[in-house]
Amino acid sequence: MVDSEQQIDLLEAYAAKSSSPVVPWPVFIKIDVGSQRAGMTTHSPSLPRLIQRIESSSAATVYGFYCHAGHSYACRTEDAAAAVLQTEVEGVVEAAKVLVDGKNDRRIVVSVGSTPTAHVVKRLQGALPEGMELELHAGTL
């Protein structure tokens, strides 16, 4: 999981020291959807640069976009959790569109979830654009 170009530098340095051929690491780009703990926002000018940096690297390739809405644990209703889930999905889909724009044959994983939002995931049906695969992660159910 990466959120800066410096992390790609480290992967490349490691690959350069390897005595055997290195298969590019599939990486998730961490997206901040409101927790303000880690990742980058979809509006960050660094996001397109990071995507380009990864895609031009011999040590990594973009596997998908990941977010965790830790602030969802403050939700007290299903509607509130569903609103946070919607924000998560919109965040990773918006980020993924930077990568897949014009590339219809590319499959990208968008990874969202927390325990509160996993309970309302059925509300997501039909929410993802073509070519995006949903991965749901949650601590406990």
Side-chain angles (χ1 to χ4, degrees):
M1 194 165 313
V2 299
D3 63 2
S4 77
E5 292 183 61
Q6 291 78 19
Q7 292 164 311
I8 304 307
D9 293 340
L10 293 171
L11 291 176
E12 289 176 343
Y14 177 81
K17 292 178 185 176
S18 177
S19 60
S20 59
V22 174
V23 176
W25 284 281
V27 298
F28 275 108
I29 296 175
K30 173 81 163 126
I31 302 297
D32 180 353
V33 293
S35 294
Q36 300 174 339
R37 286 181 56 193
M40 59 178 50
T41 66
T42 57
H43 302 295
S44 171
S46 299
L47 179 59
R49 288 194 308 265
L50 176 59
I51 291 170
Q52 178 59 37
R53 178 73 176 88
I54 295 168
E55 290 294 286
S56 65
S57 174
S58 60
T61 186
V62 176
Y63 180 74
F65 296 84
Y66 172 98
C67 67
H68 176 73
H71 57 294
S72 68
Y73 290 88
C75 294
R76 298 294 174 239
T77 66
E78 283 191 13
D79 286 342
V84 173
L85 178 61
Q86 185 65 36
T87 300
E88 282 186 292
V89 171
E90 288 171 359
V92 292
V93 166
E94 186 175 336
K97 285 180 179 178
V98 174
L99 177 63
V100 299
D101 190 30
K103 299 175 186 170
N104 295 332
D105 61 339
R106 180 113 186 223
R107 260 195 100 67
I108 295 297
V109 174
V110 290
S111 185
V112 302
S114 63
T115 299
T117 60
H119 288 286
V120 294
V121 76
K122 287 187 178 183
R123 296 188 186 194
L124 277 183
Q125 292 178 339
L128 294 178
E130 186 71 29
M132 292 187 198
E133 180 180 325
L134 177 67
E135 173 185 273
L136 178 66
H137 58 264
T140 60
L141 290 177

